[in-house]
Amino acid sequence: MSNSAPGQETPFQLAKKVIQKFVQRQVFAENKDELALVLFGSDNTKNNLAKDGQYQNISVHRQLMIPNFELLEEIQNDVHPGSQQADWLDALVVCMDLLQNETLGKRYERQNIVLLTDLNTPSSPDQLDVIIGNLKRSGVTLQFFLPFPVDGGGSKPPDGGKGLSAEQQQGLEMTKQVMMSLDEDDGLEEVYTFSDAIEKLSVFKRVEKRPMAWPCTLTIGSSLAIKIVGYKAVCEERPRKSWSVVDAQTHQKDDIKRDVVYCLNDDEETEVQKDDTIQGYRYGSDIVPFSKVDQDQMKYKTDGKSFAVLGFTKQSMHAGVALSGLIRALDDLKMVAVVRYVYARNGNPQVGAAFPCIKEKSECLVYVQLPFMEDLRQYSFPSLENNKKYTPSEEQLSAVDSLIDSMMLVEEDEDGEKMDLFKVNHIPNPQYQRLFQCLHHRAVNPSAPLPPMDPWLTAALQRPLAVASRCQAPLETMKKKFPLKEVVKKKELKTSKELFGNSTEESDAKKAKVDEDDDFNLADITEGSITQVGSVDPARDFRTLIRQKSLPFGEVCQQLTGRIEQLLGNKNMNYYIKCIPCIQTFREQSVQVGNADHYNSYIQSLKTSIPVRGLQEFWDMLVQDALTLINKDEVDGSRFSSHDAKQFLTAEEKKEEVVAAVVDDTGDVDDLLDMM
């Protein structure tokens, strides 16, 4: 197992990798399957059958138990090639004995032995028939993992290396005999190569969950009731939240104790008992108190579970479920049922649709929720058809059509049947695969950097090779038909009207023509009719009002500073982060308008109030983003030089350094106040 061609992994390394990936899958799947690990060819002997010189160099490394990270660490660090040889049939007998002894009194669905070997050791076929008979009687299933394919024949070199040895050829024939005896039709399908196994085991298993039945009664009016049982057919999979706070040195959860204390936001930070607190709902900048009693009264009250048909409509208009005797009728009439759905007594009601789903061997129920009014998003965009500037040519339309055709993910095979080239339901969620990969690596390599994403997962999310090759030519055509040019913003020039006054007037027709040629601005559509600076996105509202010029500049500035003060009153980092773009926009728009008075006045008053209001953390954020005064170089009317603006942010810091130095040096508070 430890020999290989130059530049290739040894069979032992490949077998070890297969075991590691299998154990990883079992650990993260969080099921109750138990696993034992038996090594043969080891330097030591540890098994119950080792007597009178038999079953030597076979060691039971781990007894039958649920796999964990400790086993992964042992495989990584303690399992190494041995210098001895052992009969793989003897190892198979040891595994059968282990299963028999350790499953007594246990309930199980299946017993399975996985044998990983290169068959390159002498094996005695004397007891082969006896072993096969015991496997059949015990119901133990068997799988082989080899470095070469079982149907490759004795002369085919494994992985481009030398041909099979005499021991391997004999072992391969014995393997075929065993597997064909256990299952004459499909026995050889349970013999895998190491490379195929590694590829298939690279995908972590999802946590298996039993489907939760939802027994209920489907009602139509007050006279017809049908017992039904519902199951979720599609549900978003989320990884179990198993993160815990542990001590950074000991890595033990018990070494950390968490105490939650509620305090008033006053100078004394008066502690408040949890029983004296209630929930609050943030509505803009206000908090609406909502007690437990209020929450209970708000809940939708029903008599219990409900799945009531509200009426019927055409199937072409909705998607949904149908049930039992209604299935055939609804299917024939091409109609669906609109139902009210309530999961439990205190559950919120839903409205869904039910239409027939008839399969070859069953009739199933599928429920699809319908949106309420608030769930729908209505957007209106101007048509591009009437704008000559954005009308594509026939050649451009043809280029787009060709690109779409070349990137179609469904094509027909030789038999004319449609084939899906990108089966999303066969692609594992990359978030979970990457998470499990990193968790396993960190468990067995505590100090090593995290590995890059597995190549197979990266490739799974790429465009299919067939599509990638087909679309190259259409993409080149697209580049030619839709050339991209860098647009350089021209420096604004003063018009003759601005230079010479209102002596020349543009005609209304000419002004209308200029307005039509203005660039299309998506922001003008999405911003809606904004009349004041709101609390959701104050910076955007401020920019919009400045652009609309519907209010005086000073009034809009006053609205923005009022919103900033509301946000700062919460004294929370999230609100500080929201204030930064507000002040950035305030400064940018003031420079563009050419009015620095409002911004400079506010930023000065804000700095003065920082110590009193305890907003030093927010001020540090302003300093970091260099949001200082607007100087004369930026706006002519400013009374501050660039030096003043630069000193504005650093003055407070220097002042604190001087104060600290004087206190440490003299300790004289009166002199300190004089210096301030």
Side-chain angles (χ1 to χ4, degrees):
M1 287 278 283
S2 57
N3 299 323
S4 66
Q8 295 182 352
E9 291 182 297
T10 65
F12 180 85
Q13 292 173 325
L14 293 174
K16 183 176 178 178
K17 189 174 293 186
V18 171
I19 297 174
Q20 286 177 314
K21 291 188 175 296
F22 175 74
V23 175
Q24 289 175 28
R25 283 165 55 96
Q26 296 301 107
V27 170
F28 289 114
E30 301 180 15
N31 55 35
K32 301 299 182 182
D33 293 348
E34 296 185 351
L35 182 145
L37 181 61
V38 178
L39 307 176
F40 62 100
S42 57
D43 295 331
N44 63 326
T45 300
K46 182 184 176 184
N47 66 81
N48 295 334
L49 302 179
K51 298 176 182 178
D52 302 328
Q54 294 184 334
Y55 302 101
Q56 297 299 301
N57 303 112
I58 302 175
S59 175
V60 178
H61 183 84
R62 171 68 77 97
Q63 300 293 330
L64 202 63
M65 62 180 64
I66 296 177
N68 51 24
F69 274 112
E70 182 181 351
L71 177 58
L72 285 172
E73 293 177 353
E74 292 176 2
I75 296 173
Q76 174 80 12
N77 304 320
D78 301 338
V79 176
H80 305 289
S83 59
Q84 305 297 322
Q85 289 187 341
D87 190 338
W88 58 269
L89 283 175
D90 288 346
L92 179 57
V93 174
V94 170
C95 292
M96 294 169 61
D97 177 73
L98 184 146
L99 284 177
Q100 182 179 3
N101 294 332
E102 298 200 9
T103 57
L104 290 175
K106 292 184 179 180
R107 298 179 59 185
Y108 55 85
E109 296 181 0
R110 180 189 177 197
Q111 294 184 15
N112 185 55
I113 295 177
V114 178
L115 195 62
L116 299 96
T117 176
D118 63 354
L119 300 176
N120 201 18
T121 57
S123 300
S124 174
D126 297 340
Q127 301 296 321
L128 188 59
D129 293 336
V130 177
I131 294 174
I132 294 175
N134 289 333
L135 285 171
K136 290 181 177 180
R137 283 191 295 271
S138 62
V140 176
T141 57
L142 182 62
Q143 292 175 309
F144 275 88
F145 289 82
L146 309 176
F148 44 81
V150 68
D151 56 355
S155 60
K156 184 177 180 180
D159 298 328
K162 298 180 179 180
L164 300 183
S165 64
E167 289 83 0
Q168 287 178 317
Q169 293 182 25
Q170 180 190 15
L172 190 58
E173 293 301 322
M174 295 169 60
T175 299
K176 293 180 180 180
Q177 181 180 349
V178 172
M179 300 307 293
M180 294 292 289
S181 299
L182 295 177
D183 190 340
E184 184 175 354
D185 296 328
D186 303 324
L188 295 184
E189 294 184 2
E190 295 299 322
V191 182
Y192 307 90
T193 62
F194 290 156
S195 57
D196 290 342
I198 291 173
E199 180 180 352
K200 294 178 180 179
L201 292 173
S202 295
V203 181
F204 290 95
K205 292 172 61 178
R206 67 177 183 178
V207 179
E208 296 182 359
K209 302 175 182 177
R210 291 186 176 181
M212 181 69 70
W214 184 71
C216 190
T217 301
L218 184 149
T219 60
I220 302 178
S222 58
S223 58
L224 180 58
I226 305 172
K227 294 290 185 180
I228 64 170
V229 177
Y231 295 91
K232 285 188 177 180
V234 179
C235 182
E236 181 182 359
E237 183 73 10
R238 294 186 178 93
R240 182 174 297 179
K241 297 181 179 179
S242 301
W243 298 105
S244 299
V245 178
V246 299
D247 186 84
Q249 302 299 325
T250 64
H251 297 172
Q252 297 297 318
K253 180 179 179 180
D254 295 337
D255 294 342
I256 299 293
K257 182 180 180 181
R258 174 183 294 178
D259 290 330
V260 179
V261 179
Y262 297 91
C263 299
L264 294 177
N265 189 16
D266 55 13
D267 295 336
E268 292 78 16
E269 293 187 351
T270 307
E271 183 174 346
V272 179
Q273 298 299 320
K274 185 177 180 179
D275 295 339
D276 296 332
T277 64
I278 61 172
Q279 295 289 323
Y281 185 87
R282 181 171 296 280
Y283 190 81
S285 60
D286 299 323
I287 300 293
V288 179
F290 227 72
S291 66
K292 183 67 175 177
V293 176
D294 295 332
Q295 296 180 42
D296 293 337
Q297 293 178 350
M298 178 184 65
K299 291 180 178 178
Y300 182 79
K301 298 296 190 301
T302 65
D303 296 331
K305 298 178 181 179
S306 175
F307 198 79
V309 176
L310 302 180
F312 300 96
T313 185
K314 291 293 183 181
Q315 181 175 334
S316 59
M317 299 176 61
H318 291 286
V321 241
L323 172 69
S324 187
L326 295 176
I327 293 177
R328 298 290 177 180
L330 291 176
D331 184 65
D332 293 340
L333 297 174
K334 301 301 180 184
M335 299 183 72
V336 298
V338 179
V339 300
R340 181 186 67 245
Y341 166 73
V342 181
Y343 181 77
R345 181 178 298 275
N346 293 326
N348 291 323
Q350 299 177 3
V351 174
F355 69 94
C357 182
I358 301 177
K359 298 184 179 180
E360 182 179 355
K361 297 182 179 180
S362 63
E363 298 174 353
C364 62
L365 302 175
V366 181
Y367 170 80
V368 177
Q369 182 180 353
L370 298 178
F372 287 110
M373 177 184 66
E374 294 83 0
D375 302 324
L376 297 174
R377 299 293 183 268
Q378 300 292 342
Y379 299 103
S380 59
F381 298 99
S383 174
L384 297 177
E385 295 181 356
N386 299 326
N387 193 325
K388 296 181 180 179
K389 185 177 180 181
Y390 301 109
T391 302
S393 65
E394 290 297 329
E395 293 181 349
Q396 290 176 324
L397 292 174
S398 177
V400 175
D401 288 340
S402 299
L403 178 63
I404 295 175
D405 292 338
S406 68
M407 298 187 67
M408 290 298 293
L409 297 175
V410 178
E411 62 181 14
E412 294 184 355
D413 57 12
E414 298 178 354
D415 299 330
E417 296 183 0
K418 292 185 178 180
M419 179 177 58
D420 192 351
L421 298 179
F422 195 70
K423 298 181 179 180
V424 180
N425 58 323
H426 291 177
I427 300 177
N429 191 319
Q431 175 190 355
Y432 307 147
Q433 301 299 316
R434 178 61 175 165
L435 172 63
F436 296 149
Q437 178 197 8
C438 294
L439 288 176
H440 165 256
H441 183 84
R442 176 59 66 240
V444 298
N445 303 282
S447 58
L450 292 177
M453 183 179 291
D454 286 337
W456 70 266
L457 184 57
T458 304
L461 300 176
Q462 300 298 324
R463 186 183 299 121
L465 294 178
V467 176
S469 60
R470 287 201 308 256
C471 70
Q472 290 302 317
L475 281 174
E476 292 299 325
T477 305
M478 287 284 294
K479 291 181 181 179
K480 295 177 182 178
K481 300 300 180 183
F482 295 89
L484 298 179
K485 298 179 181 179
E486 183 178 359
V487 178
V488 180
K489 187 176 182 180
K490 297 181 180 179
K491 186 176 181 181
E492 294 183 359
L493 300 176
K494 290 186 176 181
T495 63
S496 60
K497 179 179 178 180
E498 294 174 319
L499 290 173
F500 306 107
N502 199 18
S503 59
T504 59
E505 294 290 341
E506 291 179 317
S507 65
D508 293 339
K510 184 176 181 180
K511 293 181 69 177
K513 177 65 176 177
V514 172
D515 292 340
E516 288 179 0
D517 291 338
D518 285 344
D519 289 339
F520 169 71
N521 190 351
L522 186 61
D524 294 338
I525 300 172
T526 58
E527 67 191 14
S529 56
I530 296 176
T531 58
Q532 63 178 0
V533 177
S535 60
V536 177
D537 194 344
R540 183 201 63 180
D541 296 347
F542 180 74
R543 285 193 301 268
T544 301
L545 291 173
I546 296 299
R547 183 166 55 250
Q548 292 177 349
K549 299 180 180 180
S550 57
L551 295 174
F553 179 72
E555 182 178 344
V556 181
C557 294
Q558 186 177 1
Q559 290 185 16
L560 178 64
T561 56
R563 289 299 181 189
I564 295 174
E565 290 300 309
Q566 285 184 347
L567 295 172
L568 293 178
N570 294 286
K571 292 187 178 181
N572 182 280
M573 178 56 68
N574 293 329
Y575 293 98
Y576 295 167
I577 295 175
K578 192 172 183 178
C579 286
I580 294 298
C582 294
I583 296 181
Q584 288 175 334
T585 303
F586 193 4
R587 194 181 194 281
E588 293 170 358
Q589 295 297 320
S590 298
V591 172
Q592 290 184 10
V593 173
N595 187 333
D597 294 340
H598 297 286
Y599 172 82
N600 286 343
S601 176
Y602 175 72
I603 206 73
Q604 284 180 299
S605 63
L606 176 63
K607 179 182 178 181
T608 305
S609 66
I610 291 296
V612 180
R613 301 167 64 184
L615 296 175
Q616 187 60 45
E617 188 176 14
F618 173 69
W619 181 257
D620 293 339
M621 296 170 65
L622 289 181
V623 174
Q624 184 177 359
D625 291 345
L627 293 175
T628 185
L629 296 166
I630 299 175
N631 59 56
K632 297 178 180 178
D633 297 336
E634 297 173 290
V635 175
D636 293 338
S638 175
R639 59 188 181 89
F640 297 100
S641 64
S642 58
H643 177 74
D644 295 335
K646 185 176 181 180
Q647 292 298 316
F648 178 75
L649 295 178
T650 59
E652 187 72 21
E653 182 178 352
K654 290 183 177 180
K655 182 177 180 181
E656 291 179 355
E657 293 174 357
V658 172
V659 170
V662 173
V663 172
D664 292 341
D665 186 35
T666 66
D668 192 335
V669 178
D670 293 333
D671 293 343
L672 177 63
L673 293 176
D674 293 339
M675 295 183 63
M676 296 175 65

